[in-house]
Amino acid sequence: MKHMKRPAAQLLVGFGLSLLATASAHAQSVLFWSTQATPVNEQKDVREVVLKNSPVPVEFVTNNDGPYFTRLNAELQAGKGSIGLLGALHGGLSSNTKDLQDLSKLGATAKVSPAFVKLGKLGTSEQKYVPWMQATFVMAANKKALPYLPAGADINKLTYDQLVTWSKNLAEKTGGPKFGFPAGPQGLKHRFFQGYLYPSYADSMVTEFRSAGAEAGWNMFKELWKYTHASSTGFNQMQEPLKNEQVWVAFDHIARLADAFNAKPNDFVAFPAPSGPTGRGFMPVLAGLAIPKTAPDKAGAEKLVAYLMTPEVQLATLRATNFFPTVDIKIPADMPASVRITAEAISKQAGSADANPGLLPVGLGALGGKFNQVYVDTFERVVLAGQPVKAVLDEQAATLRKLMQEANAPCWEPDKPSVGACPVK
């Protein structure tokens, strides 16, 4: 991401006298500059609850990406500034990798999923950010479906082949297909293909789009579709079909499963996405904590990071933002049912030995919608229209390659880093 650079003096005027006055009044505070918890109610909860017992004085200020990066980059250009701690999504932090201090000595990282710790290195040997909070997609099942699991299958370590067998068992033994998928017009089906199927079968999202592994993944999904509820092409969210028992097993974003879990907490279980030949692909929406090289008080900022990663503060952050902890902690009984049910699945998914995160696309700008459409079109042609997998992947790969070159977007995980546009083989 590129940001317009202006002389520091001009930017100080742009920030306004109020910001200058605030910075002066809180000269000894750590300025926590965040793109997260921007709604007014969330800001209030973070200030009054999450940061209540901070070991250092904190000034928590949120902003949208534009103003956020304008100020950050101005301070970095000037070589000094007042921002002490950054809170932002992985993609945002990755745009300033070289400007972030090494946090490897922070013991809090040891409590985080190894897959997330690796992401926090941003392709370097240093810990550029500490994984702070996450949201994601998981699987859900009505407990009625559990007796039909394949023999010997562990629901928390399921493979896609086992999911197909399970779905087949349900279809054949309960009177019809019971697997559900959000394939409706507003369903998040593209995120499944990008962050789950491709990392699990090709260890890639972009580069290996037309590989033999990708072909195997699409063939698996074609088989799964045979046992998928016929109304899935109209399902935008899976909570209602789960609640009314149209489907017994489903995949969706945690926010789009919550109503079912809250309405019938005793009827459902949540569990990690299945794994394939190249790992257990999953798509985390991951936010991190980073300290810019221009931070006026690194020691104070490090104390704040350590505080924010403690179990009780991670839980307070969950209550304030609805983002889940990145550390493995027990969820209290007074949390909403949807939180209690999904928390364990989220933790097991991120902490699995074969975890293979496929991150949200980065650097596509206005072309993000066209990027998503490549995966939707592939699904519609391969799965719904029954066209030959290899031929479709070859054609769609050409479209994807042109799009990546137009965006000049470098690769992101699980693809290997690239100089310039992420290649499509």
Side-chain angles (χ1 to χ4, degrees):
M1 185 182 296
K2 293 183 179 178
H3 303 281
M4 184 170 63
K5 295 182 177 180
R6 294 180 289 169
Q10 293 180 25
L11 283 156
L12 288 175
V13 174
F15 297 147
L17 294 176
S18 60
L19 273 176
L20 290 173
T22 301
S24 176
H26 296 270
Q28 301 305 312
S29 298
V30 173
L31 175 55
F32 186 0
W33 189 238
S34 176
T35 61
Q36 303 304 297
T38 56
V40 174
N41 62 313
E42 292 187 14
Q43 290 184 47
K44 182 175 184 292
D45 286 346
V46 169
R47 292 188 183 107
E48 297 180 2
V49 181
V50 175
L51 297 172
K52 181 180 179 180
N53 297 313
S54 170
V56 294
V58 186
E59 180 191 358
F60 181 68
V61 181
T62 69
N63 225 318
N64 295 324
D65 283 359
Y68 175 91
F69 284 109
T70 297
R71 177 170 182 175
L72 172 61
N73 287 330
E75 293 193 3
L76 292 169
Q77 182 185 8
K80 61 179 180 179
S82 58
I83 297 173
L85 181 65
L86 302 171
L89 295 178
H90 173 95
L93 293 170
S94 67
S95 64
N96 288 100
T97 299
K98 70 181 189 306
D99 303 309
L100 306 178
Q101 301 200 41
D102 184 11
L103 303 182
S104 297
K105 293 182 180 179
L106 276 177
T109 56
K111 303 173 185 176
V112 178
S113 152
F116 286 172
V117 171
K118 181 181 178 182
L119 291 177
K121 294 181 183 297
L122 294 176
T124 73
S125 60
E126 299 180 346
Q127 195 68 43
K128 292 296 188 177
Y129 74 77
V130 173
W132 175 28
M133 54 187 188
Q134 63 166 321
T136 190
F137 300 71
V138 295
M139 301 288 293
N142 191 306
K143 292 178 182 178
K144 292 180 179 180
L146 301 183
Y148 301 93
L149 277 164
D154 180 344
I155 196 171
N156 291 309
K157 297 180 180 178
L158 213 60
T159 67
Y160 278 105
D161 287 343
Q162 289 174 326
L163 176 62
V164 172
T165 301
W166 188 14
S167 300
K168 181 181 180 181
N169 291 345
L170 287 168
E172 293 177 347
K173 298 177 182 179
T174 67
K178 293 293 189 298
F179 178 73
F181 187 74
Q186 281 77 52
L188 298 176
K189 51 188 175 291
H190 52 288
R191 296 306 190 205
F192 172 80
F193 302 125
Q194 293 165 357
Y196 291 77
L197 186 145
Y198 266 90
S200 298
Y201 278 84
D203 194 23
S204 172
M205 189 184 301
V206 176
T207 299
E208 302 295 335
F209 181 85
R210 58 185 290 272
S211 64
E215 188 175 347
W218 282 108
N219 279 321
M220 176 281 298
F221 198 79
K222 283 181 67 176
E223 185 69 14
L224 179 61
W225 195 256
K226 295 178 183 178
Y227 313 111
T228 298
H229 197 285
S231 296
S232 287
T233 50
F235 293 154
N236 292 322
Q237 301 187 22
M238 296 313 304
Q239 48 201 7
E240 285 301 322
L242 283 166
K243 277 198 296 185
N244 63 31
E245 297 191 9
Q246 280 180 279
V247 303
W248 288 7
V249 181
F251 163 90
D252 213 340
H253 190 279
I254 55 175
R256 295 177 173 219
L257 296 169
D259 284 354
F261 295 154
N262 287 330
K264 299 181 177 180
N266 296 322
D267 290 3
F268 297 106
V269 294
F271 55 100
S275 64
T278 58
R280 193 172 305 275
F282 72 107
M283 179 173 274
V285 181
L286 185 63
L289 300 166
I291 301 175
K293 290 185 176 179
T294 49
D297 180 9
K298 182 185 180 185
E302 288 181 333
K303 289 178 182 178
L304 180 55
V305 172
Y307 167 80
L308 288 166
M309 296 304 296
T310 58
E312 60 272 20
V313 179
Q314 286 267 295
L315 289 174
T317 303
L318 167 58
R319 293 181 189 273
T321 67
N322 290 314
F323 266 71
F324 281 74
T326 54
V327 298
D328 186 11
I329 53 179
K330 184 175 178 60
I331 302 298
D334 64 346
M335 285 284 193
S338 60
V339 172
R340 288 185 278 107
I341 292 171
T342 55
E344 187 173 359
I346 292 170
S347 178
K348 288 181 177 179
Q349 182 168 270
S352 62
D354 55 355
N356 194 15
L359 298 184
L360 287 167
V362 179
L364 296 172
L367 295 174
K370 291 184 178 180
F371 179 84
N372 294 338
Q373 195 61 44
V374 169
Y375 297 83
V376 173
D377 289 347
T378 303
F379 162 70
E380 291 179 349
R381 293 179 62 183
V382 166
V383 180
L384 300 186
Q387 296 178 19
V389 177
K390 190 176 187 307
V392 172
L393 292 183
D394 287 345
E395 291 180 22
Q396 292 295 104
T399 302
L400 181 60
R401 186 180 301 111
K402 181 179 179 182
L403 188 153
M404 297 305 296
Q405 289 171 348
E406 183 180 351
N408 196 32
C411 295
W412 58 88
E413 287 81 356
D415 285 299
K416 302 298 184 290
S418 64
V419 176
C422 190
V424 180
K425 291 183 179 178

